[in-house]
Amino acid sequence: MARTIGDVILDLQNISLSFGGVKALTNISFNVRQGEIRSIIGPNGAGKSSMLNVINGVYHPQEGRIIFMGKERRKMNPHEAAAQGIARTFQNIALFKGMTVLDNIMTGRNLMMKRNFLWNALYWGPAQRDEIAHRKRVEEIIDFLEIQHIRKVPVGRLPYGLQKRVELARALAAEPKLLLLDEPMAGMNVEEKQDMCRFILDVNEQWGTTIVLIEHDMGVVMDISDRVVVLDYGRKIGDGLPNEVKNDPEVIKAYLGAVY
Amino acid sequence: MIYREAGQFKASYEADMQIFPIRQDRIAIAAIVLFAFVGVPLFASEYWFQAIITPALIFSLAALGLNILTGYAGQLSLGAAGFMAVGAFATYNFMLRIDGMPFLVAMVLGGVCAALVGIVFGLPSLRIKGFYLAVATLAAQFFILWVLVKFPWFSNYSASGVITAQEIVILGWTVDEPVEKYLLTLAVVTVLALAAKNLARTHTGRAWMAVRDMDVAAEVIGIPLMKTKLQAFAISSFYCGVAGALYAFTYLGTVEPEAFNLDLSFKILFMIIIGGVGTVLGSFLGAAFITLLPIFLNQLFHALFGDSLPPAFASNVELMIFGGLIIFFLIVEPHGLARLWQIGKEKLRLWPFPH
Ligand SMILES: Nc1ncnc2c1ncn2[C@@H]1O[C@H](COP(=O)(O)OP(=O)(O)OP(=O)(O)O)[C@@H](O)[C@H]1O
Ligand SMILES: [Mg+2]
């Protein structure tokens, strides 16, 4: 299936965010187009994670406008952002440690499961049909991410790389329009990174999911991104195609110079 | 039969998602329930019904209620006995003030009252967690008893607030013999335990556990914190309320607010710590353990030392054993007896080839 990049789905305009005296983001604007992989890069503490937290309503910027799917949105909590189709993974794994892989992924579908607790207490008729129908979708995601063998394992017992994959599965289970990934490959070995790259590309290609990706590995970023935003000290210092960004003198000075 | 899954291939998600997916578990549970309904009434004496089995079942239900809130939803509570009191006194008043009110309806309404009170006292959980929330629920515990004592209307102006449970009649069947009260209690507990097990394996239970394990991630995936926490408070308090109604109606017969004091709340908390936090089975194991231990110790000391020991000795030893066990479970096995049981089963499942 050929990829098609559509219109702007998320438009961030003049976003500023500060914590007390610390300015995490200063006057940042960029947009994300339907179906693209949009990366955010920058040195440690540049404000990348803060940016994601702004997008899905964990943080509320003091200034700026957020337009998602054509609608400007005011203050919104993460749960409402999820209901609008924004899912994410975290830089530090945020799985539900006491639950199995399967249950963790099933929580990704909670928003779509509307039976109330009385039905569930009976586990009868529609409640059971619901559980089974959603389980089927979750099994497709489990197959897709190749984690069939661990579905009944409590996530706390899994190695780090697999936990990251389960977290991606949970986010995918919500069938998001916009998927935010905060360093999904951090701390992985080469093989695990390759797998993760493949999954991200497949999600994007097969399901047309729009992805915003934070990643430190420049090779990966340059390989899989459509466009890249560069942050430094809470400011945007670059934005464009991977090649443009890579050759931008200011970006090289601030960031890439240190890597290459 | 050997305990293992081998050969039991699940052909459908329906089969894989059964309440007890392993056949041996299904058989065991069915056998236990059958034995409880048919076998126990044949063997047990009146004393056993009145003093041991019926209260143990009622404590199991209260522990299950607390386990929903604390074990599944992660909200620490010291108010379980308070919610039991609401259930008991509300049921009593429904029976008293509405002519022809059937007991089971009054009991459910009593549970609903407890649920409503639970929601009110659950509101602080939207802001505070852990130790501070426990203190807030402690306030519920004291406030509820204070109200019940302060306003004699609740106990129909009886001296010292004691209420006498009305006679239970269900569709013409008068429940007054100990064995009948046991059967009624057993039926209610069985139904509610199955319901809890069902809640735990559907999205309702997953939402509770998600909030327990990591509330930020739960909210980000679309689980509303407020609704989920208050729902856990409501359902937990409903269970405690029904347990309180049974405590008054099928166990004690006459009861005063002070019977639902902080000691009882702690006792129920200890049951889930020893039995297993976040499991339905653990609620039963913990309640059985805490009810049976004193009896067992008494018998043991009697057999060992005859009547030569001071009467307080056994109860002091009992307290020391409880204290020790609670510390043991908190440190070594936070998931209690239920987890030990599960580990045993896992070993058995693979035996004799552990790898
Ligand atoms: N909740 C918070 N309270 C106070 N300061 C914060 C908070 N979150 C982020 N910051 C500050 O905002 C700045 C940007 O942090 P952020 O986590 O967004 O950086 P990052 O680009 O994701 O870095 P890294 O690559 O290390 O993950 C940092 O100075 C950080 O200390
Ligand atoms: Mg970060």
Side-chain angles (χ1 to χ4, degrees):
Chain A
M1 199 172 73
R3 293 174 74 228
T4 46
I5 309 288
D7 295 333
V8 170
I9 180 177
L10 173 71
D11 194 15
L12 300 150
Q13 301 176 356
N14 310 102
I15 302 286
S16 292
L17 172 77
S18 55
F19 300 98
V22 183
K23 285 209 138 194
L25 300 170
T26 311
N27 196 25
I28 293 184
S29 304
F30 69 95
N31 63 31
V32 180
R33 292 179 175 279
Q34 169 75 48
E36 78 175 331
I37 298 181
R38 185 75 150 120
S39 289
I40 304 178
I41 62 171
N44 292 103
K48 305 180 296 297
S49 297
S50 301
M51 199 66 237
L52 287 201
N53 282 325
V54 164
I55 295 173
N56 82 326
V58 177
Y59 293 162
H60 303 291
Q62 280 82 9
E63 280 165 57
R65 301 180 354 129
I66 303 170
I67 296 150
F68 182 57
M69 313 240 306
K71 265 193 251 158
E72 169 156 13
R73 83 178 200 221
R74 289 283 154 213
K75 236 181 171 179
M76 175 185 282
N77 64 35
H79 158 242
E80 287 163 328
Q84 293 207 348
I86 303 179
R88 74 174 284 184
T89 65
F90 293 81
Q91 184 168 352
N92 306 310
I93 296 169
L95 286 170
F96 307 125
K97 288 269 151 47
M99 300 162 70
T100 62
V101 168
L102 183 60
D103 278 345
N104 263 278
I105 305 173
M106 285 290 279
T107 60
R109 301 194 70 79
N110 256 43
L111 264 174
M112 293 170 241
M113 303 183 77
K114 301 287 186 204
R115 298 291 159 207
N116 69 30
F117 71 93
L118 290 172
W119 281 111
N120 284 343
L122 295 173
Y123 198 81
W124 176 74
Q128 185 183 15
R129 282 201 296 278
D130 248 32
E131 285 286 326
I132 291 171
H134 287 284
R135 169 77 187 270
K136 282 196 180 123
R137 281 294 292 139
V138 163
E139 286 292 338
E140 286 167 27
I141 291 162
I142 287 176
D143 287 347
F144 178 77
L145 293 180
E146 297 159 15
I147 46 179
Q148 300 91 333
H149 57 296
I150 51 166
R151 49 160 99 69
K152 299 274 172 84
V153 179
V155 290
R157 287 196 217 158
L158 295 177
Y160 179 84
L162 278 179
Q163 291 198 11
K164 284 254 173 198
R165 213 187 279 187
V166 174
E167 210 189 355
L168 175 63
R170 183 180 67 187
L172 287 177
E175 297 181 23
K177 298 193 181 74
L178 178 63
L179 177 61
L180 314 175
L181 303 175
D182 197 343
E183 304 197 13
M185 292 162 235
M188 286 187 169
N189 63 33
V190 177
E191 200 180 325
E192 288 171 327
K193 270 190 190 177
Q194 277 172 353
D195 281 341
M196 189 51 98
C197 267
R198 180 164 56 86
F199 293 133
I200 292 172
L201 285 170
D202 282 353
V203 168
N204 176 256
E205 263 172 42
Q206 294 181 18
W207 300 342
T209 309
T210 310
I211 294 173
V212 176
L213 171 73
I214 297 177
E215 186 46 55
H216 278 295
D217 186 320
M218 280 310 123
V220 168
V221 170
M222 297 303 155
D223 256 11
I224 72 174
S225 325
D226 293 297
R227 292 187 297 158
V228 181
V229 178
V230 191
L231 303 185
D232 189 25
Y233 291 111
R235 292 172 190 279
K236 185 169 101 170
I237 58 167
D239 187 353
L241 301 174
N243 261 323
E244 296 170 5
V245 166
K246 199 155 72 178
N247 300 320
D248 183 321
E250 197 177 350
V251 174
I252 291 170
K253 191 172 86 192
Y255 182 37
L256 294 177
V259 176
Y260 287 117
Chain B
M1 194 191 318
I2 301 170
Y3 184 84
R4 65 189 40 177
E5 277 178 277
Q8 298 180 33
F9 295 109
K10 305 296 190 304
S12 67
Y13 295 131
E14 196 173 337
D16 193 43
M17 293 161 79
Q18 291 176 88
I19 188 163
F20 302 107
I22 296 176
R23 193 197 302 127
Q24 285 85 342
D25 283 343
R26 280 198 297 281
I27 295 169
I29 296 281
I32 289 170
V33 172
L34 193 72
F35 178 71
F37 274 101
V38 181
V40 173
L42 295 177
F43 300 111
S45 68
E46 203 154 281
Y47 168 77
W48 268 80
F49 285 127
Q50 266 172 341
I52 299 166
I53 317 181
T54 304
L57 281 172
I58 295 170
F59 286 138
S60 304
L61 188 59
L64 186 52
L66 181 63
N67 226 336
I68 286 172
L69 183 63
T70 302
Y72 282 99
Q75 312 297 306
L76 187 54
S77 164
L78 295 175
F83 300 120
M84 288 176 74
V86 174
F89 279 77
T91 305
Y92 167 77
N93 277 287
F94 282 119
M95 298 281 282
L96 178 74
R97 293 170 205 283
I98 300 174
D99 248 359
M101 170 62 89
F103 170 73
L104 287 179
V105 177
M107 181 190 79
V108 170
L109 290 175
V112 171
C113 288
L116 295 174
V117 176
I119 290 174
V120 172
F121 285 103
L123 288 172
S125 72
L126 308 180
R127 295 245 153 226
I128 54 180
K129 292 184 198 175
F131 175 72
Y132 297 96
L133 179 63
V135 173
T137 58
L138 200 59
Q141 166 71 43
F142 285 114
F143 181 77
I144 290 166
L145 292 205
W146 177 79
V147 167
L148 291 176
V149 173
K150 177 79 185 168
F151 300 97
W153 181 86
F154 288 112
S155 48
N156 201 24
Y157 303 96
S158 81
S160 69
V162 177
I163 56 170
T164 303
Q166 294 91 341
E167 186 170 66
I168 304 172
V169 182
I170 296 172
L171 302 172
W173 168 43
T174 309
V175 181
D176 50 3
E177 294 291 319
V179 59
E180 293 172 321
K181 289 182 171 174
Y182 158 75
L183 286 172
L184 173 63
T185 308
L186 179 65
V188 172
V189 172
T190 307
V191 169
L192 287 180
L194 286 176
K197 192 91 185 143
N198 282 340
L199 285 172
R201 68 195 172 117
T202 55
H203 69 86
T204 307
R206 288 193 295 270
W208 292 339
M209 292 186 276
V211 168
R212 170 194 70 190
D213 285 350
M214 188 158 284
D215 51 1
V216 180
E219 209 182 5
V220 164
I221 203 71
I223 293 169
L225 294 186
M226 179 168 88
K227 186 195 144 196
T228 306
K229 286 183 182 179
L230 292 184
Q231 186 193 51
F233 265 96
I235 294 175
S236 159
S237 305
F238 176 87
Y239 273 71
C240 288
V242 171
L246 293 173
Y247 197 67
F249 279 78
T250 65
Y251 174 43
L252 290 177
T254 58
V255 65
E256 55 185 338
E258 194 42 35
F260 300 100
N261 60 13
L262 185 61
D263 276 2
L264 182 59
S265 279
F266 269 115
K267 196 165 157 180
I268 295 166
L269 182 63
F270 294 159
M271 286 175 191
I272 69 169
I273 291 173
I274 290 179
V277 175
T279 62
V280 173
L281 175 67
S283 316
F284 284 87
L285 295 179
F289 187 83
I290 289 198
T291 329
L292 290 178
L293 183 68
I295 296 163
F296 171 75
L297 287 179
N298 246 322
Q299 301 277 337
L300 183 72
F301 290 138
H302 200 80
L304 288 179
F305 308 110
D307 290 329
S308 61
L309 285 173
F313 183 78
S315 56
N316 284 336
V317 171
E318 192 190 306
L319 285 177
M320 283 159 58
I321 293 183
F322 275 149
L325 278 172
I326 285 159
I327 291 168
F328 169 80
F329 277 113
L330 282 177
I331 294 172
V332 180
E333 187 47 80
H335 293 99
L337 291 171
R339 177 82 188 119
L340 294 180
W341 170 242
Q342 199 196 342
I343 291 173
K345 280 206 310 191
E346 268 171 29
K347 293 242 161 81
L348 200 59
R349 218 146 130 183
L350 300 173
W351 184 87
F353 307 108
H355 292 296

